[in-house]
């Protein structure tokens, strides 16, 4: 066995054999294609605060083009929606960001990018890990552990200048029960994944993202014509459930989540008979589907 990284945090290249480093050379060979394809550059760093923050800064400085991928073996200040923190042991998951510049798509449709990324990640993990993942609107990845629904990952999209969006993904892969940040968290390993080798998992997810992004972009960002709206609804665990949407301004809406509309908003049928679209907020599942 040839080590793929010079050292780990403790100075020994052999101290985490159950969590080997990603193979940057093999990943570049598999994903970067001369003269075609989305991905132009792939960099792996051992440790950073946030791959999203780093890639947004590079884009702003003109140091990154569309298809740049930044992967971290460890994030010390990973962020989710609403500035929630995301932490995990080194090499225990997939933590990466991708810069997209969908020039062919009206900006009004860019709100579909985090949902598109969710569909792509769920598809890639199903192929690569052999584990079912579901989507909680708008950006959580759910797995089933011991019959219980748990969050194993999340997605964060941020604008990068006038013409770009950075989509960031964090997925717990080999996290053990005693390493969970909160009891209701999960990982692919705890969900019984057939494969937890991060190299093929990252390849599968990035290829799936490229496929869905090309399809959506070719349709001018139309979620119906690209099949994205239908695919998201099919994989969304939020639909058909009683939910509470906690909205900005300390307002909440309770009702059944009945659809995801053409703008990517969650439509909630309230007890008063009103169908209210929700474009931003925190969703709480109140009962099983």
């Amino acid at each position: 066995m040839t080590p793929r990284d010079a050292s780990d945090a403790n100075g020994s290249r052999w101290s985490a054999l159950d969590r080997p480093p990603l193979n940057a050379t093999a990943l570049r060979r598999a994903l970067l294609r001369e003269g075609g394809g989305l991905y132009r550059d792939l960099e792996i760093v051992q440790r950073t605060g946030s791959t999203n923050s780093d890639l947004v800064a590079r884009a702003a400085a003109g140091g990154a083009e569309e298809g740049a991928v930044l992967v971290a073996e460890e994030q010390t200040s990973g962020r989710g929606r609403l500035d929630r923190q995301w932490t995990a042991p080194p090499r225990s998951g997939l933590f990466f960001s991708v810069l997209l510049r969908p020039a062919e798509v009206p900006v009004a449709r860019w709100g579909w990018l985090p949902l598109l990324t969710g569909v792509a990640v769920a598809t890639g993990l199903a192929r690569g890990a052999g584990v079912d993942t579901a989507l909680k609107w708008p950006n959580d990845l759910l797995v089933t552990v011991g019959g219980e629904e748990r969050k194993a990952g999340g997605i964060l999209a941020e604008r990068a200048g006038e013409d770009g969006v950075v989509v960031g993904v964090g997925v717990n892969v080999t996290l053990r029960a005693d390493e969970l940040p909160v009891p209701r968290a999960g990982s692919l390993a705890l969900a019984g994944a057939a494969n937890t080798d991060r190299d093929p998992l990252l390849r599968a997810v990035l290829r799936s993202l490229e496929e869905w992004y090309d399809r959506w972009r070719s349709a001018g960002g139309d979620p119906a014509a690209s099949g994205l709206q239908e695919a998201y609804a099919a994989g969304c665990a939020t639909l058909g459930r009683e939910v509470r949407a906690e909205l900005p301004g300390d307002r909440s809406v309770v009702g059944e989540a009945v659809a995801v509309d053409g703008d990517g908003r969650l439509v909630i049928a309230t007890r008063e008979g009103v169908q209210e679209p929700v474009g931003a907020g925190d969703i709480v599942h109140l009962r099983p589907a």
Side-chain angles (χ1 to χ4, degrees), residues 270-282:
T270 71
R271 294 164 185 169
E272 291 75 30
V274 176
Q275 292 202 348
E276 182 161 347
V278 173
D282 200 23

Side-chain angles (χ1 to χ4, degrees), residues 145-201:
V145 178
E148 182 183 27
E149 196 175 69
R150 298 193 186 183
K151 178 178 175 179
I155 294 155
L156 179 66
E158 297 182 90
R159 286 292 295 266
E162 293 297 319
D163 64 345
V165 176
V166 169
V167 290
V169 176
V171 180
N172 293 330
V173 177
T174 60
L175 215 63
R176 299 182 291 267
D178 62 348
E179 295 174 319
L180 296 175
V182 294
R184 291 190 60 81
S187 69
L188 302 186
L190 291 174
N195 176 34
T196 57
D197 185 336
R198 294 181 305 140
D199 275 330
L201 293 183

Side-chain angles (χ1 to χ4, degrees), residues 14-36:
W14 302 107
S15 63
L17 292 180
D18 59 333
R19 288 174 175 161
L22 292 164
N23 188 328
T25 301
L27 286 165
R28 291 190 188 104
R29 187 183 303 121
L31 293 164
L32 308 185
R33 302 195 300 274
E34 286 289 339

